[in-house]
Tab-separated table of all heavy atoms in Angstrom:
chain	number	residue	atom	x	y	z
A	8	MET	N	-0.770	32.636	-26.432
A	8	MET	CA	-0.691	33.921	-25.721
A	8	MET	C	0.637	34.587	-26.032
A	8	MET	O	1.679	33.954	-26.015
A	8	MET	CB	-0.839	33.692	-24.210
A	8	MET	CG	-0.877	34.999	-23.428
A	8	MET	SD	-1.109	34.719	-21.666
A	8	MET	CE	-2.855	34.318	-21.646
A	9	ASP	N	0.579	35.870	-26.316
A	9	ASP	CA	1.773	36.602	-26.700
A	9	ASP	C	2.332	37.363	-25.504
A	9	ASP	O	1.764	38.339	-25.048
A	9	ASP	CB	1.412	37.558	-27.840
A	9	ASP	CG	2.580	38.469	-28.187
A	9	ASP	OD1	3.713	37.974	-28.231
A	9	ASP	OD2	2.347	39.662	-28.413
A	10	ILE	N	3.443	36.877	-24.997
A	10	ILE	CA	4.070	37.529	-23.848
A	10	ILE	C	5.507	37.875	-24.208
A	10	ILE	O	6.239	37.039	-24.734
A	10	ILE	CB	4.025	36.600	-22.613
A	10	ILE	CG1	2.566	36.355	-22.216
A	10	ILE	CG2	4.794	37.210	-21.444
A	10	ILE	CD1	2.403	35.267	-21.173
A	11	GLN	N	5.873	39.101	-23.943
A	11	GLN	CA	7.208	39.560	-24.303
A	11	GLN	C	7.948	40.085	-23.075
A	11	GLN	O	7.331	40.469	-22.091
A	11	GLN	CB	7.109	40.699	-25.333
A	11	GLN	CG	6.447	40.288	-26.633
A	11	GLN	CD	6.125	41.490	-27.501
A	11	GLN	OE1	6.564	42.599	-27.234
A	11	GLN	NE2	5.346	41.261	-28.546
A	12	VAL	N	9.264	40.139	-23.207
A	12	VAL	CA	10.072	40.743	-22.145
A	12	VAL	C	9.644	42.198	-21.977
A	12	VAL	O	9.439	42.910	-22.955
A	12	VAL	CB	11.573	40.665	-22.500
A	12	VAL	CG1	12.410	41.454	-21.500
A	12	VAL	CG2	12.028	39.209	-22.529
A	13	GLY	N	9.463	42.604	-20.738
A	13	GLY	CA	9.047	43.977	-20.469
A	13	GLY	C	7.557	44.084	-20.190
A	13	GLY	O	7.096	45.096	-19.676
A	14	ASP	N	6.814	43.027	-20.540
A	14	ASP	CA	5.395	43.014	-20.208
A	14	ASP	C	5.218	42.840	-18.702
A	14	ASP	O	6.116	42.374	-18.005
A	14	ASP	CB	4.675	41.846	-20.900
A	14	ASP	CG	4.500	42.080	-22.385
A	14	ASP	OD1	4.750	43.203	-22.844
A	14	ASP	OD2	4.102	41.126	-23.076
A	15	VAL	N	4.024	43.189	-18.245
A	15	VAL	CA	3.663	42.920	-16.861
A	15	VAL	C	2.493	41.951	-16.879
A	15	VAL	O	1.519	42.152	-17.610
A	15	VAL	CB	3.276	44.220	-16.126
A	15	VAL	CG1	2.731	43.911	-14.735
A	15	VAL	CG2	4.477	45.148	-16.026
A	16	LEU	N	2.615	40.873	-16.130
A	16	LEU	CA	1.550	39.878	-16.081
A	16	LEU	C	0.732	40.058	-14.814
A	16	LEU	O	1.287	40.195	-13.720
A	16	LEU	CB	2.140	38.460	-16.095
A	16	LEU	CG	3.087	38.133	-17.241
A	16	LEU	CD1	3.517	36.678	-17.150
A	16	LEU	CD2	2.447	38.407	-18.585
A	17	GLU	N	-0.575	40.066	-14.995
A	17	GLU	CA	-1.439	40.040	-13.827
A	17	GLU	C	-1.935	38.616	-13.674
A	17	GLU	O	-2.630	38.087	-14.535
A	17	GLU	CB	-2.612	41.009	-13.993
A	17	GLU	CG	-3.410	41.144	-12.719
A	17	GLU	CD	-4.457	42.246	-12.821
A	17	GLU	OE1	-4.124	43.361	-13.247
A	17	GLU	OE2	-5.612	41.957	-12.496
A	18	LEU	N	-1.543	37.978	-12.569
A	18	LEU	CA	-1.895	36.576	-12.360
A	18	LEU	C	-3.225	36.437	-11.631
A	18	LEU	O	-3.695	37.357	-10.976
A	18	LEU	CB	-0.795	35.870	-11.553
A	18	LEU	CG	0.606	35.878	-12.164
A	18	LEU	CD1	1.537	34.984	-11.357
A	18	LEU	CD2	0.597	35.437	-13.621
A	19	LYS	N	-3.818	35.253	-11.790
A	19	LYS	CA	-5.085	34.985	-11.115
A	19	LYS	C	-4.879	34.865	-9.606
A	19	LYS	O	-5.739	35.204	-8.814
A	19	LYS	CB	-5.710	33.696	-11.645
A	19	LYS	CG	-6.196	33.853	-13.082
A	19	LYS	CD	-6.593	32.516	-13.662
A	19	LYS	CE	-6.900	32.661	-15.154
A	19	LYS	NZ	-6.870	31.370	-15.844
A	20	LYS	N	-3.710	34.339	-9.257
A	20	LYS	CA	-3.439	34.093	-7.842
A	20	LYS	C	-2.531	35.178	-7.276
A	20	LYS	O	-1.565	35.574	-7.903
A	20	LYS	CB	-2.764	32.721	-7.707
A	20	LYS	CG	-2.980	32.088	-6.371
A	20	LYS	CD	-2.295	30.724	-6.317
A	20	LYS	CE	-1.872	30.435	-4.899
A	20	LYS	NZ	-0.903	29.352	-4.814
A	21	GLU	N	-2.851	35.604	-6.079
A	21	GLU	CA	-2.058	36.624	-5.415
A	21	GLU	C	-0.787	36.041	-4.820
A	21	GLU	O	-0.811	34.966	-4.232
A	21	GLU	CB	-2.898	37.199	-4.267
A	21	GLU	CG	-3.041	38.689	-4.308
A	21	GLU	CD	-4.006	39.146	-3.236
A	21	GLU	OE1	-3.823	38.749	-2.064
A	21	GLU	OE2	-4.948	39.882	-3.566
A	22	HIS	N	0.303	36.772	-4.929
A	22	HIS	CA	1.521	36.409	-4.215
A	22	HIS	C	1.299	36.714	-2.726
A	22	HIS	O	0.527	37.611	-2.392
A	22	HIS	CB	2.689	37.247	-4.768
A	22	HIS	CG	4.032	36.693	-4.426
A	22	HIS	ND1	4.978	37.404	-3.748
A	22	HIS	CD2	4.563	35.482	-4.678
A	22	HIS	CE1	6.064	36.644	-3.587
A	22	HIS	NE2	5.832	35.477	-4.154
A	23	PRO	N	1.956	35.983	-1.828
A	23	PRO	CA	1.776	36.248	-0.382
A	23	PRO	C	1.998	37.709	0.002
A	23	PRO	O	1.443	38.180	0.989
A	23	PRO	CB	2.831	35.348	0.268
A	23	PRO	CG	2.991	34.219	-0.689
A	23	PRO	CD	2.777	34.797	-2.074
A	24	CYS	N	2.767	38.449	-0.761
A	24	CYS	CA	3.011	39.857	-0.434
A	24	CYS	C	1.828	40.732	-0.809
A	24	CYS	O	1.787	41.907	-0.480
A	24	CYS	CB	4.276	40.360	-1.126
A	24	CYS	SG	4.060	40.632	-2.897
A	25	GLY	N	0.840	40.164	-1.513
A	25	GLY	CA	-0.367	40.925	-1.838
A	25	GLY	C	-0.416	41.434	-3.260
A	25	GLY	O	-1.438	41.940	-3.711
A	26	SER	N	0.687	41.301	-4.000
A	26	SER	CA	0.718	41.784	-5.376
A	26	SER	C	0.325	40.667	-6.347
A	26	SER	O	0.612	39.499	-6.113
A	26	SER	CB	2.121	42.295	-5.729
A	26	SER	OG	2.177	42.640	-7.083
A	27	ARG	N	-0.340	41.047	-7.439
A	27	ARG	CA	-0.647	40.092	-8.495
A	27	ARG	C	0.182	40.362	-9.736
A	27	ARG	O	0.052	39.680	-10.734
A	27	ARG	CB	-2.109	40.223	-8.916
A	27	ARG	CG	-3.101	39.678	-7.934
A	27	ARG	CD	-4.478	40.113	-8.347
A	27	ARG	NE	-5.448	39.711	-7.336
A	27	ARG	CZ	-6.264	38.665	-7.493
A	27	ARG	NH1	-6.256	37.977	-8.592
A	27	ARG	NH2	-7.099	38.335	-6.544
A	28	ARG	N	0.971	41.402	-9.699
A	28	ARG	CA	1.664	41.815	-10.917
A	28	ARG	C	3.127	41.399	-10.921
A	28	ARG	O	3.841	41.595	-9.939
A	28	ARG	CB	1.543	43.331	-11.084
A	28	ARG	CG	0.103	43.712	-11.304
A	28	ARG	CD	-0.023	45.109	-11.782
A	28	ARG	NE	-1.414	45.377	-12.172
A	28	ARG	CZ	-1.838	46.513	-12.665
A	28	ARG	NH1	-0.995	47.498	-12.844
A	28	ARG	NH2	-3.099	46.662	-13.003
A	29	TRP	N	3.526	40.850	-12.054
A	29	TRP	CA	4.885	40.348	-12.225
A	29	TRP	C	5.489	40.925	-13.489
A	29	TRP	O	4.848	40.918	-14.546
A	29	TRP	CB	4.854	38.819	-12.337
A	29	TRP	CG	4.364	38.146	-11.080
A	29	TRP	CD1	3.065	38.053	-10.657
A	29	TRP	CD2	5.142	37.491	-10.097
A	29	TRP	NE1	3.006	37.384	-9.469
A	29	TRP	CE2	4.264	37.010	-9.098
A	29	TRP	CE3	6.523	37.247	-9.971
A	29	TRP	CZ2	4.723	36.315	-7.979
A	29	TRP	CZ3	6.974	36.540	-8.856
A	29	TRP	CH2	6.076	36.084	-7.874
A	30	SER	N	6.722	41.409	-13.403
A	30	SER	CA	7.447	41.861	-14.577
A	30	SER	C	8.061	40.661	-15.275
A	30	SER	O	8.594	39.770	-14.623
A	30	SER	CB	8.580	42.815	-14.177
A	30	SER	OG	8.079	43.846	-13.380
A	31	VAL	N	8.017	40.659	-16.599
A	31	VAL	CA	8.630	39.584	-17.372
A	31	VAL	C	10.078	39.942	-17.659
A	31	VAL	O	10.366	40.936	-18.322
A	31	VAL	CB	7.865	39.371	-18.696
A	31	VAL	CG1	8.518	38.250	-19.500
A	31	VAL	CG2	6.393	39.060	-18.424
A	32	LEU	N	10.986	39.143	-17.119
A	32	LEU	CA	12.419	39.405	-17.297
A	32	LEU	C	12.984	38.612	-18.463
A	32	LEU	O	13.931	39.028	-19.110
A	32	LEU	CB	13.190	39.040	-16.028
A	32	LEU	CG	12.742	39.739	-14.741
A	32	LEU	CD1	13.623	39.287	-13.589
A	32	LEU	CD2	12.790	41.238	-14.879
A	33	ARG	N	12.405	37.428	-18.699
A	33	ARG	CA	12.909	36.573	-19.770
A	33	ARG	C	11.805	35.643	-20.227
A	33	ARG	O	11.019	35.156	-19.406
A	33	ARG	CB	14.110	35.765	-19.278
A	33	ARG	CG	15.047	35.353	-20.391
A	33	ARG	CD	16.278	34.688	-19.829
A	33	ARG	NE	15.983	33.305	-19.446
A	33	ARG	CZ	16.793	32.550	-18.720
A	33	ARG	NH1	17.941	33.028	-18.286
A	33	ARG	NH2	16.479	31.319	-18.429
A	34	VAL	N	11.744	35.387	-21.505
A	34	VAL	CA	10.793	34.417	-22.022
A	34	VAL	C	11.554	33.321	-22.761
A	34	VAL	O	12.706	33.465	-23.103
A	34	VAL	CB	9.764	35.068	-22.981
A	34	VAL	CG1	8.889	36.061	-22.252
A	34	VAL	CG2	10.457	35.736	-24.155
A	35	GLY	N	10.870	32.221	-23.005
A	35	GLY	CA	11.502	31.072	-23.640
A	35	GLY	C	10.690	29.860	-23.236
A	35	GLY	O	9.477	29.934	-23.107
A	36	MET	N	11.348	28.742	-22.994
A	36	MET	CA	10.619	27.583	-22.486
A	36	MET	C	10.085	27.869	-21.087
A	36	MET	O	9.027	27.407	-20.699
A	36	MET	CB	11.508	26.352	-22.469
A	36	MET	CG	11.476	25.634	-23.800
A	36	MET	SD	12.671	24.305	-23.936
A	36	MET	CE	12.448	23.431	-22.410
A	37	ASP	N	10.865	28.633	-20.352
A	37	ASP	CA	10.428	29.101	-19.038
A	37	ASP	C	10.375	30.620	-19.046
A	37	ASP	O	11.149	31.263	-19.739
A	37	ASP	CB	11.400	28.655	-17.947
A	37	ASP	CG	11.434	27.157	-17.791
A	37	ASP	OD1	10.353	26.553	-17.715
A	37	ASP	OD2	12.537	26.596	-17.764
A	38	PHE	N	9.471	31.160	-18.260
A	38	PHE	CA	9.435	32.603	-18.060
A	38	PHE	C	10.163	32.922	-16.764
A	38	PHE	O	10.045	32.191	-15.792
A	38	PHE	CB	7.991	33.093	-17.922
A	38	PHE	CG	7.201	33.021	-19.201
A	38	PHE	CD1	5.830	33.241	-19.176
A	38	PHE	CD2	7.819	32.763	-20.407
A	38	PHE	CE1	5.089	33.180	-20.347
A	38	PHE	CE2	7.087	32.704	-21.584
A	38	PHE	CZ	5.709	32.917	-21.553
A	39	ARG	N	10.894	34.014	-16.772
A	39	ARG	CA	11.464	34.508	-15.525
A	39	ARG	C	10.684	35.758	-15.133
A	39	ARG	O	10.602	36.715	-15.891
A	39	ARG	CB	12.942	34.819	-15.686
A	39	ARG	CG	13.574	35.196	-14.369
A	39	ARG	CD	15.098	35.002	-14.380
A	39	ARG	NE	15.618	35.209	-13.037
A	39	ARG	CZ	15.752	34.230	-12.135
A	39	ARG	NH1	15.449	33.010	-12.443
A	39	ARG	NH2	16.201	34.498	-10.932
A	40	LEU	N	10.101	35.702	-13.946
A	40	LEU	CA	9.214	36.769	-13.502
A	40	LEU	C	9.711	37.392	-12.211
A	40	LEU	O	10.313	36.709	-11.377
A	40	LEU	CB	7.801	36.204	-13.265
A	40	LEU	CG	7.165	35.449	-14.422
A	40	LEU	CD1	5.832	34.861	-13.981
A	40	LEU	CD2	6.973	36.340	-15.620
A	41	ARG	N	9.448	38.689	-12.069
A	41	ARG	CA	9.776	39.356	-10.807
A	41	ARG	C	8.519	40.002	-10.241
A	41	ARG	O	7.849	40.773	-10.921
A	41	ARG	CB	10.843	40.414	-11.002
A	41	ARG	CG	11.235	41.055	-9.654
A	41	ARG	CD	11.983	42.350	-9.821
A	41	ARG	NE	13.336	42.109	-10.329
A	41	ARG	CZ	13.911	42.891	-11.255
A	41	ARG	NH1	13.276	43.905	-11.751
A	41	ARG	NH2	15.119	42.621	-11.665
A	42	CYS	N	8.229	39.656	-8.999
A	42	CYS	CA	7.059	40.206	-8.326
A	42	CYS	C	7.239	41.712	-8.137
A	42	CYS	O	8.272	42.162	-7.665
A	42	CYS	CB	6.878	39.531	-6.974
A	42	CYS	SG	5.504	40.197	-6.038
A	43	GLN	N	6.214	42.467	-8.519
A	43	GLN	CA	6.322	43.921	-8.386
A	43	GLN	C	6.074	44.371	-6.951
A	43	GLN	O	6.326	45.517	-6.602
A	43	GLN	CB	5.339	44.605	-9.335
A	43	GLN	CG	5.724	44.382	-10.780
A	43	GLN	CD	5.099	45.402	-11.709
A	43	GLN	OE1	4.018	45.908	-11.445
A	43	GLN	NE2	5.770	45.687	-12.807
A	44	GLY	N	5.555	43.481	-6.143
A	44	GLY	CA	5.300	43.840	-4.752
A	44	GLY	C	6.537	43.707	-3.887
A	44	GLY	O	6.897	44.618	-3.145
A	45	CYS	N	7.220	42.561	-3.997
A	45	CYS	CA	8.320	42.284	-3.075
A	45	CYS	C	9.642	42.024	-3.785
A	45	CYS	O	10.663	41.859	-3.136
A	45	CYS	CB	7.961	41.079	-2.193
A	45	CYS	SG	7.773	39.548	-3.113
A	46	GLY	N	9.634	41.972	-5.111
A	46	GLY	CA	10.881	41.798	-5.837
A	46	GLY	C	11.349	40.360	-5.960
A	46	GLY	O	12.405	40.085	-6.505
A	47	HIS	N	10.531	39.418	-5.469
A	47	HIS	CA	10.868	38.000	-5.573
A	47	HIS	C	10.914	37.579	-7.035
A	47	HIS	O	10.068	37.960	-7.823
A	47	HIS	CB	9.824	37.181	-4.816
A	47	HIS	CG	10.081	35.708	-4.842
A	47	HIS	ND1	11.061	35.122	-4.082
A	47	HIS	CD2	9.485	34.723	-5.544
A	47	HIS	CE1	11.049	33.814	-4.331
A	47	HIS	NE2	10.114	33.543	-5.202
A	48	GLU	N	11.927	36.775	-7.394
A	48	GLU	CA	12.027	36.291	-8.762
A	48	GLU	C	11.790	34.800	-8.808
A	48	GLU	O	12.174	34.073	-7.898
A	48	GLU	CB	13.417	36.598	-9.346
A	48	GLU	CG	13.621	38.074	-9.582
A	48	GLU	CD	14.951	38.372	-10.268
A	48	GLU	OE1	15.578	37.442	-10.814
A	48	GLU	OE2	15.362	39.541	-10.249
A	49	LEU	N	11.151	34.353	-9.888
A	49	LEU	CA	10.965	32.920	-10.050
A	49	LEU	C	10.927	32.532	-11.517
A	49	LEU	O	10.708	33.364	-12.396
A	49	LEU	CB	9.686	32.453	-9.355
A	49	LEU	CG	8.348	33.096	-9.701
A	49	LEU	CD1	7.787	32.604	-11.032
A	49	LEU	CD2	7.337	32.762	-8.614
A	50	MET	N	11.171	31.232	-11.766
A	50	MET	CA	11.047	30.669	-13.100
A	50	MET	C	9.744	29.891	-13.149
A	50	MET	O	9.410	29.160	-12.223
A	50	MET	CB	12.206	29.706	-13.387
A	50	MET	CG	13.572	30.345	-13.350
A	50	MET	SD	13.903	31.390	-14.778
A	50	MET	CE	14.096	30.142	-16.057
A	51	LEU	N	9.033	30.053	-14.250
A	51	LEU	CA	7.752	29.382	-14.397
A	51	LEU	C	7.695	28.789	-15.802
A	51	LEU	O	7.960	29.495	-16.771
A	51	LEU	CB	6.651	30.437	-14.215
A	51	LEU	CG	5.263	29.988	-13.797
A	51	LEU	CD1	5.283	29.269	-12.462
A	51	LEU	CD2	4.346	31.199	-13.718
A	52	PRO	N	7.364	27.493	-15.911
A	52	PRO	CA	7.241	26.914	-17.249
A	52	PRO	C	6.173	27.654	-18.045
A	52	PRO	O	5.164	28.079	-17.482
A	52	PRO	CB	6.792	25.471	-16.981
A	52	PRO	CG	7.134	25.205	-15.561
A	52	PRO	CD	7.092	26.531	-14.849
A	53	ARG	N	6.391	27.834	-19.331
A	53	ARG	CA	5.481	28.602	-20.176
A	53	ARG	C	4.025	28.120	-20.059
A	53	ARG	O	3.111	28.930	-19.919
A	53	ARG	CB	5.927	28.495	-21.646
A	53	ARG	CG	4.966	29.139	-22.610
A	53	ARG	CD	5.445	28.975	-24.040
A	53	ARG	NE	6.557	29.877	-24.348
A	53	ARG	CZ	6.381	31.077	-24.925
A	53	ARG	NH1	5.187	31.485	-25.253
A	53	ARG	NH2	7.402	31.847	-25.169
A	54	SER	N	3.836	26.799	-20.099
A	54	SER	CA	2.465	26.273	-20.077
A	54	SER	C	1.753	26.668	-18.786
A	54	SER	O	0.584	27.060	-18.794
A	54	SER	CB	2.487	24.758	-20.212
A	54	SER	OG	3.271	24.191	-19.194
A	55	LYS	N	2.487	26.609	-17.682
A	55	LYS	CA	1.896	26.956	-16.402
A	55	LYS	C	1.648	28.466	-16.312
A	55	LYS	O	0.623	28.922	-15.815
A	55	LYS	CB	2.834	26.505	-15.280
A	55	LYS	CG	2.139	26.373	-13.959
A	55	LYS	CD	3.079	25.780	-12.922
A	55	LYS	CE	2.466	25.928	-11.538
A	55	LYS	NZ	3.401	25.515	-10.496
A	56	ALA	N	2.586	29.227	-16.795
A	56	ALA	CA	2.457	30.684	-16.761
A	56	ALA	C	1.223	31.122	-17.541
A	56	ALA	O	0.441	31.953	-17.080
A	56	ALA	CB	3.710	31.335	-17.342
A	57	GLU	N	1.054	30.543	-18.734
A	57	GLU	CA	-0.072	30.959	-19.571
A	57	GLU	C	-1.398	30.647	-18.902
A	57	GLU	O	-2.380	31.356	-19.087
A	57	GLU	CB	0.027	30.301	-20.946
A	57	GLU	CG	1.198	30.883	-21.736
A	57	GLU	CD	1.262	30.365	-23.160
A	57	GLU	OE1	0.636	29.319	-23.431
A	57	GLU	OE2	1.939	31.002	-23.988
A	58	LYS	N	-1.427	29.577	-18.135
A	58	LYS	CA	-2.670	29.216	-17.449
A	58	LYS	C	-2.976	30.134	-16.281
A	58	LYS	O	-4.137	30.331	-15.926
A	58	LYS	CB	-2.576	27.767	-16.940
A	58	LYS	CG	-3.161	26.781	-17.930
A	58	LYS	CD	-3.159	25.390	-17.332
A	58	LYS	CE	-2.431	24.418	-18.264
A	58	LYS	NZ	-1.968	23.217	-17.583
A	59	SER	N	-1.935	30.659	-15.662
A	59	SER	CA	-2.187	31.456	-14.456
A	59	SER	C	-2.274	32.954	-14.724
A	59	SER	O	-2.518	33.729	-13.819
A	59	SER	CB	-1.139	31.157	-13.389
A	59	SER	OG	0.105	30.932	-13.972
A	60	VAL	N	-2.080	33.339	-15.995
A	60	VAL	CA	-2.168	34.763	-16.317
A	60	VAL	C	-3.614	35.183	-16.519
A	60	VAL	O	-4.362	34.563	-17.259
A	60	VAL	CB	-1.363	35.083	-17.593
A	60	VAL	CG1	-1.649	36.505	-18.060
A	60	VAL	CG2	0.113	34.914	-17.327
A	61	LYS	N	-3.986	36.247	-15.859
A	61	LYS	CA	-5.317	36.812	-16.055
A	61	LYS	C	-5.275	37.832	-17.178
A	61	LYS	O	-6.162	37.909	-18.002
A	61	LYS	CB	-5.768	37.466	-14.746
A	61	LYS	CG	-7.209	37.871	-14.736
A	61	LYS	CD	-7.568	38.372	-13.341
A	61	LYS	CE	-8.786	39.256	-13.380
A	61	LYS	NZ	-8.823	40.140	-12.204
A	62	LYS	N	-4.195	38.603	-17.194
A	62	LYS	CA	-4.123	39.674	-18.174
A	62	LYS	C	-2.686	40.102	-18.363
A	62	LYS	O	-1.869	40.042	-17.453
A	62	LYS	CB	-5.041	40.781	-17.655
A	62	LYS	CG	-4.758	42.166	-17.969
A	62	LYS	CD	-5.972	43.014	-17.600
A	62	LYS	CE	-5.647	43.885	-16.406
A	62	LYS	NZ	-6.644	44.923	-16.149
A	63	VAL	N	-2.371	40.502	-19.600
A	63	VAL	CA	-1.039	41.005	-19.922
A	63	VAL	C	-1.121	42.518	-20.039
A	63	VAL	O	-1.948	43.046	-20.767
A	63	VAL	CB	-0.525	40.405	-21.252
A	63	VAL	CG1	0.866	40.948	-21.568
A	63	VAL	CG2	-0.497	38.883	-21.186
A	64	ILE	N	-0.267	43.191	-19.301
A	64	ILE	CA	-0.259	44.650	-19.326
A	64	ILE	C	1.002	45.098	-20.057
A	64	ILE	O	2.109	44.778	-19.626
A	64	ILE	CB	-0.267	45.200	-17.889
A	64	ILE	CG1	-1.527	44.736	-17.168
A	64	ILE	CG2	-0.187	46.730	-17.908
A	64	ILE	CD1	-1.348	44.667	-15.670
A	65	ARG	N	0.795	45.795	-21.154
A	65	ARG	CA	1.940	46.237	-21.934
A	65	ARG	C	2.032	47.749	-21.872
A	65	ARG	O	1.083	48.443	-22.221
A	65	ARG	CB	1.794	45.766	-23.384
A	65	ARG	CG	3.041	46.014	-24.205
A	65	ARG	CD	3.086	45.066	-25.370
A	65	ARG	NE	3.139	43.665	-24.905
A	65	ARG	CZ	2.739	42.646	-25.649
A	65	ARG	NH1	2.258	42.832	-26.836
A	65	ARG	NH2	2.826	41.419	-25.166
A	66	SER	N	3.152	48.239	-21.425
A	66	SER	CA	3.282	49.689	-21.278
A	66	SER	C	3.851	50.309	-22.550
A	66	SER	O	4.135	51.484	-22.605
A	66	SER	CB	4.187	50.017	-20.090
A	66	SER	OG	5.394	49.302	-20.195
A	67	GLY	N	4.033	49.505	-23.576
A	67	GLY	CA	4.598	49.966	-24.840
A	67	GLY	C	3.702	50.940	-25.583
A	67	GLY	O	2.735	51.474	-25.038
A	68	GLU	N	4.004	51.152	-26.849
A	68	GLU	CA	3.342	52.224	-27.591
A	68	GLU	C	1.976	51.822	-28.125
A	68	GLU	O	1.694	51.922	-29.305
A	68	GLU	CB	4.213	52.702	-28.763
A	68	GLU	CG	5.582	53.197	-28.330
A	68	GLU	CD	6.606	52.081	-28.354
A	68	GLU	OE1	6.884	51.550	-29.429
A	68	GLU	OE2	7.107	51.725	-27.275
A	69	GLY	N	1.140	51.335	-27.264
A	69	GLY	CA	-0.249	51.093	-27.627
A	69	GLY	C	-0.494	49.969	-28.611
A	69	GLY	O	-1.554	49.899	-29.221
A	70	GLN	N	0.450	49.053	-28.746
A	70	GLN	CA	0.177	47.929	-29.638
A	70	GLN	C	-0.580	46.852	-28.859
A	70	GLN	O	-0.162	46.454	-27.784
A	70	GLN	CB	1.442	47.356	-30.256
A	70	GLN	CG	2.715	47.804	-29.571
A	70	GLN	CD	3.937	47.137	-30.133
A	70	GLN	OE1	3.938	45.976	-30.459
A	70	GLN	NE2	5.009	47.881	-30.216
A	71	GLN	N	-1.658	46.407	-29.421
A	71	GLN	CA	-2.531	45.494	-28.702
A	71	GLN	C	-2.261	44.022	-29.013
A	71	GLN	O	-2.543	43.161	-28.230
A	71	GLN	CB	-4.000	45.800	-29.032
A	71	GLN	CG	-4.482	47.100	-28.414
A	71	GLN	CD	-4.433	47.079	-26.902
A	71	GLN	OE1	-4.866	46.128	-26.278
A	71	GLN	NE2	-3.893	48.113	-26.289
A	72	THR	N	-1.720	43.771	-30.180
A	72	THR	CA	-1.537	42.361	-30.536
A	72	THR	C	-0.077	41.981	-30.613
A	72	THR	O	0.692	42.498	-31.226
A	72	THR	CB	-2.216	42.011	-31.869
A	72	THR	OG1	-1.934	43.020	-32.819
A	72	THR	CG2	-3.698	41.905	-31.659
B	117	LIG	ZN1	5.554	39.249	-3.955
């Protein structure tokens, strides 16, 4: 799965604040994500993150891959 800094991840599971969308702040062995609903930040191992992502939303210039 191709995830870059600046992407927005829509997760399968809802955060307690009701949002499913997380901004990607950093990628690497761990992803650093910020909840778009409440601003909570967390680190998530790449393998776990990839499993819990439903969809990657890229606001960039229409590149799909
Ligand atoms: Zn939240």
Side-chain angles (χ1 to χ4, degrees):
M8 185 178 284
D9 174 42
I10 296 170
Q11 298 169 11
V12 172
D14 287 350
V15 173
L16 306 183
E17 188 172 311
L18 301 188
K19 291 170 187 162
K20 206 179 150 196
E21 234 174 51
H22 198 237
C24 74
S26 175
R27 287 169 186 257
R28 295 193 172 182
W29 296 77
S30 307
V31 180
L32 303 181
R33 206 174 78 192
V34 295
M36 273 172 47
D37 295 312
F38 290 170
R39 186 159 188 90
L40 306 175
R41 183 196 289 140
C42 177
Q43 293 200 330
C45 64
H47 181 75
E48 290 185 15
L49 55 77
M50 299 287 288
L51 203 60
R53 174 181 285 265
S54 57
K55 200 174 168 187
E57 290 186 342
K58 266 185 235 159
S59 36
V60 170
K61 190 174 158 202
K62 150 168 110 168
V63 180
I64 299 154
R65 188 156 298 156
S66 51
E68 302 91 64
Q70 15 175 321
Q71 289 298 313
T72 45

